[in-house]
């Protein structure tokens, strides 16, 4: 953890600790007086949040062990000016930091019901894992829909000291983009699992690095509940020095929304995606889906006498949320000074073409190509549909909606408690010949199952994600799919129904990017390949909180016999009650 130097000349103003200098340089979680900026970052309390800059280093010769102690609890916060209960880490909403691949420690993946029992109130739990690749990652709660209460952050893993990255920049900054709901996750979850079904709806706000602005006058709210002058919800500002180049690590942990992110007057060069170097390409709008991370380079080469808007917009769904706003603050302008312009509007929400184009543009950097195996051992097709089961709304793959067992898979598999989940193998595909992906299914019924896909260890597996119409005419939604425990090669995207004979011939086997989260575009398909080389049980799911909650996910098992002794700390629920107790 790098907390270097101390604050000088500080004064405490309400919840905000500021230095009594006139000039400021803000880094991602920190602000520092300009004089101290070179090589000295000072972390301090900003608008009630203490953001600690966490840097992890890929170990070279010497193993470096970092310990982080987190106290996780509910607290009232007003990230978009509206006061609600959020989950904090050490008092902070949205701490900085995914666990990079948990090779050898699959029990540290944190997926409740898959790799461990839930961490119950009052309990402590220790996650231990080796950090094995540099890059930008995410971590978040994985129980029910708790993530969207604010329990998330990003991890920046630094490159080893002797390593040169394939691009240059002067400063490194990180932001997390989210959407924000005022209802509690429990109320939302209850609605989703009720008859009649109550949809969560569009978010109330979009947050940039934990800050947004809800229009408090839009509802009959008291100043105690919603107060736009609360410093907690003042726009997030990234301060830049004119002429310098910034690496901005942008991550999305939205509950629902696909986003477009833009910085007024500035192009962005995409150089990293989910921890892998990208063959650089330039965008005006960065489309980003929940669970993804990107690094973009920005040059502070515009008129330095003013600040510029940073904006986020909902795409892929009819927006009903005002855009998220932040500032690109050119030093020495004041970081709270509004840009003189009207914040630029985002792209048209229902134009899928530029989003598909961005997906197709992301290729591995030419010096960092990891060539995929040219063939695979198994192809699994996942038809993504919205369904009804006994009157309840669900999301399914191949008409099976996923449910979690009471005994986490990792423990049930390792201890051969096979009666704990269905042993009927789940379907490997759907009725390709007869299913019409463009219309509401003739039969919207599905079944639930907790069966899993068992993969041969070290085999190569292809996954074809196939999108379809929802239960409503002329509607197909965007789904970000996230795989735990692996990076996959993204072999291709396409429109319409995947053709098993023709489409594999178009796969990119030359320079495909490796990722861990990938969008499935409306009425389209996405093809992935991965090596089942990480012993354990791994979730693969839609990263939309409500959709995974409603059954949009699967579990893969591979090499369970190679998993080491399970720590007793992951046990205590289902049939593991009493396991591990002395
Ligand atoms: O799960 C969902 O339900 C709604 C809609 O289909 C029904 O209200 C929606 O947009 C989802 O993503």
């Amino acid at each position: 953890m790098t907390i270097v130097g101390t604050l000088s000349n500080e004064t405490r103003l309400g919840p905000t600790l500021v230095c009594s200098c006139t000039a400021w340089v803000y880094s991602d979680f920190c602000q520092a007086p300009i004089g101290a900026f070179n090589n000295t970052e000072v972390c301090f309390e900003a608008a009630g949040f203490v953001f600690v800059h966490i840097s992890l280093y890929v170990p070279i010769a010497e193993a470096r062990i970092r310990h982080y102690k987190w106290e996780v609890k509910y607290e009232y916060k007003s990230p978009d000016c509206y006061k609600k209960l959020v989950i904090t880490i050490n008092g902070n909403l949205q701490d900085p930091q995914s666990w990079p691949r948990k090779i050898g420690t699959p029990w540290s993946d944190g997926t409740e019901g898959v790799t461990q029992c839930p961490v119950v109130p009052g309990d402590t739990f220790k996650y231990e894992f080796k950090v094995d690749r540099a890059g930008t990652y995410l971590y978040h709660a994985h129980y029910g829909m708790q993530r969207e209460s604010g329990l998330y952050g990003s991890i920046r893993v630094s490159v080893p000291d002797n390593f040169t990255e394939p691009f240059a920049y002067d400063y490194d900054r990180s932001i997390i983009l989210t959407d924000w709901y005022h209802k509690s996750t429990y109320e939302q979850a209850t609605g989703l699992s009720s008859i009649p079904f109550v949809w969560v709806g569009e978010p109330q706000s979009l947050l940039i690095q934990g800050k947004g602005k809800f229009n408090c006058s839009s509802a009959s709210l008291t100043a105690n509940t919603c107060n736009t002058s609360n410093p907690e919800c003042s726009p997030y500002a990234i301060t830049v020095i004119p002429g310098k180049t910034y690496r901005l690590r942008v991550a999305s942990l939205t509950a629902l929304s696909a986003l477009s992110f833009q910085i007024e007057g500035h192009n962005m060069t995409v150089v990293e995606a989910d921890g892998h170097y990208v063959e650089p390409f330039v965008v005006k709008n960065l489309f980003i889906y929940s669970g993804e991370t990107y690094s973009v380079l920005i040059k502070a080469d515009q008129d330095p006498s003013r600040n510029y808007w940073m904006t986020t917009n909902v795409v892929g769904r009819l927006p009903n949320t005002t855009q998220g706003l932040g500032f690109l603050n050119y030093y020495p302008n004041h970081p709270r000074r509004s840009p003189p312009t009207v914040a630029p509007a985002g792209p048209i929400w229902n134009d899928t073409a530029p989003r598909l184009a961005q997906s197709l543009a992301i290729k591995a950097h030419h010096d960092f190509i990891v060539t995929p195996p040219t063939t695979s051992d198994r192809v699994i097709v996942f038809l993504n549909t919205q369904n009804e089961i006994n009157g309840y709304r669900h999301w399914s793959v191949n008409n099976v909606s996923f449910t979690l067992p009471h005994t986490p898979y990792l423990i049930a598999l390792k201890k051969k408690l096979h009666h704990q989940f269905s042993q009927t193998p789940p379907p490997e595909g759907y009725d390709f010949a007869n299913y019409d992906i463009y219309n509401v299914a003739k039969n919207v019924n599905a079944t639930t199952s907790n069966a899993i896909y068992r993969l041969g260890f070290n085999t190569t597996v292809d996954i074809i994600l196939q999108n379809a119409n929802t239960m409503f005419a002329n509607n197909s939604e965007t789904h970000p799919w996230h795989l735990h425990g692996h990076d996959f090669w993204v072999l291709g995207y396409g429109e319409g129904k995947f053709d098993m004979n023709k489409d594999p011939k178009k796969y990119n086997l030359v320079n495909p990017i490796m990722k861990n989260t990938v969008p499935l575009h409306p009425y389209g398909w996405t093809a992935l390949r991965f090596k089942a080389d990480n012993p354990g049980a791994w979730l693969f799911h839609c990263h939309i909180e409500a959709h995974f909650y409603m059954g949009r996910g699967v579990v893969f098992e591979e090499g369970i016999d190679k998993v080491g002794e399970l720590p007793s700390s992951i046990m205590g629920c289902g049939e593991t009650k009493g396991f591990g107790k002395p």
Side-chain angles (χ1 to χ4, degrees), residues 223-290:
N224 182 38
T225 314
C226 199
N227 179 0
T228 42
S229 53
N230 185 338
E232 276 184 51
C233 57
S234 60
Y236 185 70
I238 297 177
T239 300
V240 294
I241 299 169
K244 299 289 183 193
T245 298
Y246 289 77
R247 174 185 189 163
L248 182 61
R249 298 170 191 251
V250 188
S252 169
L253 273 170
T254 53
L256 174 70
S257 315
L259 296 175
S260 171
F261 169 75
Q262 43 277 317
I263 302 177
E264 184 192 8
H266 295 74
N267 284 337
M268 297 178 272
T269 306
V270 181
V271 292
E272 183 211 348
D274 294 1
H276 292 268
Y277 296 125
V278 169
E279 188 62 25
F281 66 98
V282 177
V283 295
K284 277 208 170 316
N285 309 94
L286 178 75
F287 297 108
I288 183 164
Y289 307 90
S290 181

Side-chain angles (χ1 to χ4, degrees), residues 65-92:
I65 301 174
R66 314 256 158 168
H67 299 275
Y68 300 96
K69 198 169 169 201
W70 290 358
E71 191 191 348
V72 178
K73 63 174 191 242
Y74 273 102
E75 282 182 73
Y76 281 109
K77 294 275 183 193
S78 309
D80 68 343
C81 310
Y82 177 90
K83 190 158 85 179
K84 68 165 275 193
L85 278 179
V86 308
I87 305 180
T88 59
I89 299 173
N90 297 338
N92 313 317

Side-chain angles (χ1 to χ4, degrees), residues 478-508:
T478 306
H479 301 280
W481 276 84
H482 172 65
L483 178 60
H484 288 246
H486 309 76
D487 287 340
F488 46 70
W489 289 276
V490 184
L491 300 184
Y493 298 86
E495 289 169 292
K497 201 190 252 192
F498 182 82
D499 183 326
M500 218 30 117
N501 296 315
K502 290 195 197 131
D503 289 321
K505 299 198 176 80
K506 296 184 237 154
Y507 283 168
N508 176 8

Side-chain angles (χ1 to χ4, degrees), residues 326-342:
F327 300 153
L328 188 71
N329 163 231
Y330 270 61
Y331 172 79
N333 297 288
H334 195 278
R336 302 252 155 87
R337 189 170 149 210
S338 247
T341 46
V342 174

Side-chain angles (χ1 to χ4, degrees), residues 192 197 199 256 317 386 393 395 470 472 475 477 546-547 550:
L192 295 174
F197 173 69
W199 174 236
L256 174 70
R317 305 179 63 92
Q386 195 184 31
R393 185 71 50 81
W395 286 92
T470 62
F472 303 91
N475 180 239
E477 300 185 2
H547 290 181
M550 294 161 75

